[in-house]
């Protein structure tokens, strides 16, 4: 089957809830792990494709009350959590102990410069280093965003210190003391009561550019009616079919495949599929519904169908009917028009099935107050609901979303508070307009470039977390006007851990780009931007993590 990714550069998620009593109850699954020794502690939270490690050290006190350099605070954060992949990952040598154990933060001549983290696959026994370029990791949470679902890994975490031996005047770093080894199991999204699927949501990454950069094209795009040049790698425009499929599969990360498998479960006349859709143009999804009808499945789809009435004018004369009333034509909006074209494009082997598709499948939602913004499918067998698919993803390759801004004063106050950290959707700022190696998007989006997923996590790391997800934006339109749905799940740590690790993946991805771009703009020559992320060869990077006034201090305590 030729794979067609429903994925866009914006982040998406879909939630699949089903009746699987034969599966192990999710509350009994262990997805949180902790180990420590006399010097280090490691707390792991596992999702499906992500493992978050909360790190801490013992024996380090509060730093002197000096001003904190933002460059030092952010140094060492990986610019690209997606870049480490299973094709170019660095194979690590066994850890080397070169000095006696040290008391971190003491007056000793040894300098604690960060962490060393290796990962071993328990099946293949391959060991890979998660330290980019062999440099220390200078942060107290680390996300392994190259993990695979249903795997068991051993993470080995050690301290790194600055070696007394420099090579070509460049500081060298070595592992010191006894490491902490932690066995972690990632979750299989197809198991359990809730199957949760996130697409890549990081098309603007080094990994995407490195894998498919040869197909980059430069376009003029219009954002908010302003033309600008943008480099794009559109997976649909890749001429090599195998590479095109590979790009779409990389972006989808299993989400589209799971959607089509969900629909395919309806195998005969004992099944029904009840769906509510907003955008509806993805060829494979539409064909999956049509094929279900051909199998005898009863399919009913409520779809967004909104437009405006326009007075009919011929020449310069307003047309009227025989009773003298002005004639008006109904003009569908672009979402409705595009869906209608996609629906009409489906072909059938016989007229009976074609008639059912066009006359007995779709229910047009033509209310005038807002959008039919739902995106869910219910699977029934013998009239009993057995499974639900819902989330933020539309059934399309492009995204048109509504945004609601924050009132400026409140927004300014929020971002200026030192304890708050905010990540904005971004790609790394290119050093030149024709930079052929920089990050770029897919070009599949017309409005939402980066994040389209909508969810809220409360008390994520407790035993009683709350997850809210679904189609609704956090906006007035979603709460007051649109047709929306929200799923509220309380007390399921498995669900919360998957959502939490995916949140951290996106936050780390975009936050690092925000800060790189910030530094690049601070210096017109771009020198500082290129230096951002370099390792600090002293202990200044520790300061914000042990200063109670900072958000990073709170984060360290929360995750450890």
């Amino acid at each position: 089957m030729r794979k067609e990714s429903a994925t866009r550069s914006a982040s998406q998620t879909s939630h699949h809830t089903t009746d699987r009593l034969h599966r192990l109850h999710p509350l009994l699954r262990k997805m949180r792990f902790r180990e420590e020794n006399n010097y280090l502690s490691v707390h792991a939270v596992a999702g499906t494709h992500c493992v978050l490690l909360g790190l801490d050290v013992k024996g380090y006190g509060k730093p002197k009350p000096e001003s904190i350099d933002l460059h030092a605070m952010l140094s060492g954060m990986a610019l690209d959590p997606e870049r480490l992949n299973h094709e170019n990952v660095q194979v690590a040598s066994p850890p080397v102990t070169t000095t006696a154990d040290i008391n971190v933060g003491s007056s000793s001549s040894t300098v604690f410069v960060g962490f060393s983290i290796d990962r071993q696959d328990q099946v293949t026994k391959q060991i890979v280093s998660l330290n980019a370029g062999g440099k220390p990791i200078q942060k107290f949470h680390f996300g392994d965003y190259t993990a695979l679902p249903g795997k068991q890994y051993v993470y080995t975490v050690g301290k790194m210190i600055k070696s007394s031996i420099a090579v070509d005047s460049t500081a060298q770093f070595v592992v010191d003391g006894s490491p902490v080894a932690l066995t972690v199991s990632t979750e299989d999204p197809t198991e359990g009561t809730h199957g949760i699927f996130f697409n890549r949501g990081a098309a603007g990454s080094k990994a995407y550019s490195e894998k498919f950069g040869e197909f980059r094209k430069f376009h003029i795009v219009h954002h908010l009616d302003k033309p600008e040049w943008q480099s794009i790698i559109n997976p649909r425009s890749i001429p090599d079919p195998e590479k095109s499929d590979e790009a779409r599969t990389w972006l989808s990360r299993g989400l589209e495949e799971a959607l089509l498998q969900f629909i395919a479960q309806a195998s005969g006349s004992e099944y029904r599929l009840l769906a509510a859709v907003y955008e509806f143009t993805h060829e494979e999804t539409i064909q999956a519904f049509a094929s279900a009808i051909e199998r005898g499945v009863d399919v009913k789809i409520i779809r967004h169908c909104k437009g405006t009435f326009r007075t009919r004018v011929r020449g310069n004369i307003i047309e009227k009917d025989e009773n003298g009333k002005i004639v008006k034509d109904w003009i569908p909006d672009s979402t409705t028009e595009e869906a209608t074209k996609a629906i009409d494009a489906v072909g059938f082997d016989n007229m009976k099935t074609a008639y059912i598709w066009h006359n007995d499948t779709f229910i047009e939602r033509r209310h005038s107050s807002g959008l039919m913004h739902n995106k869910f499918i219910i699977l029934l067998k013998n009239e009993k609901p057995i499974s639900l698919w819902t989330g933020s993803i539309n059934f399309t390759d492009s995204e048109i979303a509504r945004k609601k801004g924050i009132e400026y004063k409140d927004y300014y106050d929020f971002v200026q508070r030192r304890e708050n950290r905010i990540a904005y959707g971004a790609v790394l700022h290119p050093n030149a307009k024709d930079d052929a190696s920089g990050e770029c998007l897919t070009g599949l989006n017309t409005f939402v470039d980066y994040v389209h997923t909508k969810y809220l996590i409360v008390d994520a790391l407790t035993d009683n977390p709350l997850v809210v997800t679904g189609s609704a934006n956090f906006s007035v339109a979603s709460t007051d006007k649109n047709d929306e749905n929200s799923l509220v799940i309380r007390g399921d740590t498995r669900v919360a851990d998957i959502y939490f690790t995916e949140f951290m993946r996106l936050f780390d991805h975009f936050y690092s780009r925000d800060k790189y771009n910030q530094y690049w703009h601070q210096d017109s020559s771009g020198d500082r931007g290129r230096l951002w992320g370099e390792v600090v060869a002293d202990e200044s990077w520790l300061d914000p993590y042990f200063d109670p006034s900072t958000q990073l201090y709170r984060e360290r305590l929360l995750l450890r």
Side-chain angles (χ1 to χ4, degrees):
M1 181 187 73
R2 186 170 180 267
K3 295 183 180 178
E4 193 77 24
S5 176
T7 304
R8 291 156 299 281
S9 58
S11 171
Q12 301 283 356
T13 178
S14 281
H15 195 108
H16 172 199
T17 302
T18 188
D19 182 14
R20 294 194 183 109
L21 297 181
H22 63 287
R23 304 287 194 187
L24 179 63
H25 193 280
L27 296 182
L28 300 180
R29 295 180 179 273
K30 184 179 179 183
M31 298 173 66
R32 303 172 185 178
F33 313 84
R34 196 175 192 282
E35 291 289 349
E36 62 181 302
N37 62 18
N38 292 334
Y39 308 100
L40 302 173
S41 66
V42 183
H43 174 218
V45 181
T48 51
H49 292 80
C50 309
V51 176
L52 185 70
L53 302 177
L55 313 173
D56 204 6
V57 295
K58 302 176 183 180
Y60 189 87
K62 180 180 176 181
K64 296 178 181 179
E66 300 172 350
S67 61
I68 295 176
D69 178 15
L70 184 61
H71 183 273
M73 181 178 80
L74 298 171
S75 295
M77 286 189 172
L79 287 178
D80 191 1
E82 296 292 347
R83 190 172 187 176
L84 282 172
N85 58 61
H86 297 281
E87 295 178 2
N88 63 8
V89 73
Q90 177 184 357
V91 178
S93 300
V96 177
T97 301
T98 59
T99 68
D101 293 337
I102 62 172
N103 181 21
V104 176
S106 71
S107 59
S108 169
S109 59
T110 57
V111 179
F112 173 42
V113 291
F115 298 98
S116 167
I117 304 178
D118 295 341
R119 183 190 71 201
Q120 182 182 44
D121 187 312
Q122 288 299 85
V123 174
T124 66
K125 300 303 180 181
Q126 183 187 33
I127 299 175
V128 297
S129 171
L130 302 181
N131 292 68
K135 297 179 180 179
I137 294 167
Q138 293 186 328
K139 54 192 296 190
F140 277 77
H141 85 265
F142 179 82
D144 177 9
Y145 304 128
T146 63
L148 296 176
K151 288 280 191 174
Q152 188 175 73
Y153 298 108
V154 173
Y155 290 89
T156 303
V157 181
K159 302 190 304 288
M160 294 191 81
I161 63 172
K162 184 167 67 173
S163 171
S164 59
I165 301 175
V167 178
D168 296 330
S169 301
T170 302
Q172 299 296 300
F173 310 104
V174 294
V175 178
D176 176 83
S178 301
V180 173
L182 182 68
T183 302
V184 175
S185 297
T186 56
E187 186 65 25
D188 185 339
T190 65
E191 295 186 352
T193 300
H194 305 286
I196 303 168
F197 303 87
F198 282 80
N199 68 9
R200 185 78 57 173
S205 70
K206 285 289 187 183
Y208 187 64
S209 296
E210 289 174 353
K211 291 172 74 69
F212 308 107
E214 62 184 297
F215 306 107
R216 178 191 310 269
K217 301 292 182 182
F218 290 88
H219 301 262
I220 289 182
V221 297
H222 294 267
H223 278 282
L224 302 177
D225 297 325
K226 295 182 179 179
E228 61 182 45
W229 282 100
Q230 189 175 90
S231 62
I232 288 171
I233 305 174
N234 188 328
R236 288 190 175 277
S237 300
I238 295 177
D240 183 336
E242 291 186 3
K243 279 291 186 179
S244 177
D245 288 350
E246 182 184 349
R248 296 169 189 174
T249 300
W250 189 89
L251 291 167
S252 175
R253 205 171 67 150
L255 189 151
E256 184 215 6
E257 293 83 353
L259 169 60
L260 299 180
Q261 290 170 9
F262 180 92
I263 297 173
Q265 292 178 96
S267 57
S269 59
E270 69 271 28
Y271 287 94
R272 297 183 72 194
L273 287 167
L274 308 180
V277 301
Y278 174 47
E279 294 181 284
F280 194 62
T281 59
H282 183 241
E283 180 182 342
E284 275 66 27
T285 301
I286 294 174
Q287 185 59 57
F289 280 116
S291 297
I293 293 176
E294 292 181 318
R295 295 192 297 269
V297 178
D298 180 23
V299 177
K300 294 291 184 291
I301 301 173
I302 302 173
R303 75 179 184 100
H304 170 88
C305 193
K306 191 176 179 181
T308 57
F309 286 94
R310 185 180 301 169
T311 299
R312 184 184 300 173
V313 178
R314 294 185 183 275
N316 294 323
I317 302 175
I318 296 177
E319 187 171 333
K320 298 181 180 180
D321 63 15
E322 58 187 13
N323 297 318
K325 295 183 64 175
I326 295 175
V327 176
K328 294 185 177 182
D329 296 316
W330 186 76
I331 308 299
D333 63 15
S334 59
T335 303
T336 302
E337 185 176 22
E338 290 170 4
T340 300
K341 291 178 180 178
I343 291 168
D344 290 346
V346 178
F348 295 89
D349 293 335
N350 59 78
M351 280 299 299
K352 179 180 178 180
T353 309
Y355 182 87
I356 293 173
W357 176 253
H358 287 283
N359 295 277
D360 195 33
T361 298
F362 295 95
I363 302 167
E364 297 180 346
R365 184 74 163 112
R366 295 198 179 200
H367 62 27
S368 59
S369 61
L371 304 175
M372 209 308 297
H373 199 242
N374 279 310
K375 318 116 177 3
F376 65 80
I377 310 169
I378 305 171
L379 175 67
L380 300 91
K381 183 177 183 181
N382 297 322
E383 298 301 319
K384 177 185 176 182
I386 60 173
S387 196
L388 166 70
W389 177 282
T390 188
S392 66
I393 189 168
N394 289 300
F395 306 101
T396 177
D397 288 311
S398 62
E399 271 304 334
I400 302 171
R402 298 167 63 96
K403 289 186 177 180
K404 186 68 177 177
I406 305 174
E407 194 274 325
Y408 182 77
K409 181 178 183 300
D410 292 342
Y411 170 77
Y412 181 81
D413 290 344
F414 184 78
V415 299
Q416 290 301 309
R417 293 176 66 89
R418 194 180 184 196
E419 62 269 28
N420 295 333
R421 287 205 296 151
I422 304 172
Y424 306 90
V427 295
L428 291 179
H429 191 290
N431 293 328
K433 289 293 183 182
D434 60 348
D435 181 7
S437 62
E439 297 181 343
C440 62
L441 300 178
T442 63
L444 294 175
N445 295 77
T446 58
F447 195 77
V448 181
D449 283 332
Y450 298 106
V451 179
H452 187 254
T453 190
K454 316 101 169 30
Y455 58 87
L456 172 69
I457 315 171
V458 181
D459 298 332
L461 298 178
T462 69
D463 292 333
N464 190 33
L466 176 70
V467 175
V468 181
T469 186
S471 68
N473 292 302
F474 298 100
S475 68
V476 173
S478 286
T479 55
D480 294 353
K481 296 180 180 180
N482 298 343
D483 290 351
E484 305 279 8
N485 73 87
S486 289
L487 187 65
V488 180
I489 303 173
R490 179 182 290 278
D492 193 321
T493 57
R494 173 182 176 273
V495 170
D497 289 351
I498 294 173
Y499 273 89
F500 177 67
T501 54
E502 291 288 346
F503 169 83
M504 292 303 299
R505 176 178 69 93
L506 288 180
F507 186 91
D508 284 349
H509 180 88
F510 289 124
Y511 189 79
S512 63
R513 282 150 180 78
D514 294 337
K515 296 308 172 186
Y516 174 93
N517 294 340
Q518 174 185 330
Y519 275 91
W520 193 90
H521 284 294
Q522 283 180 356
D523 191 320
S524 59
S525 69
D527 289 341
R528 182 179 292 218
R530 285 192 291 270
L531 290 174
W532 185 89
E534 289 299 315
V535 168
V536 175
D538 56 37
E539 294 187 355
S540 62
W541 70 277
L542 289 162
D543 292 351
Y545 291 99
F546 290 87
D547 181 351
S549 68
T550 68
Q551 193 271 350
L552 290 175
Y553 172 85
R554 297 178 177 86
E555 183 179 279
R556 178 179 65 86
L557 298 183
L558 175 68
L559 297 177
R560 68 180 182 178

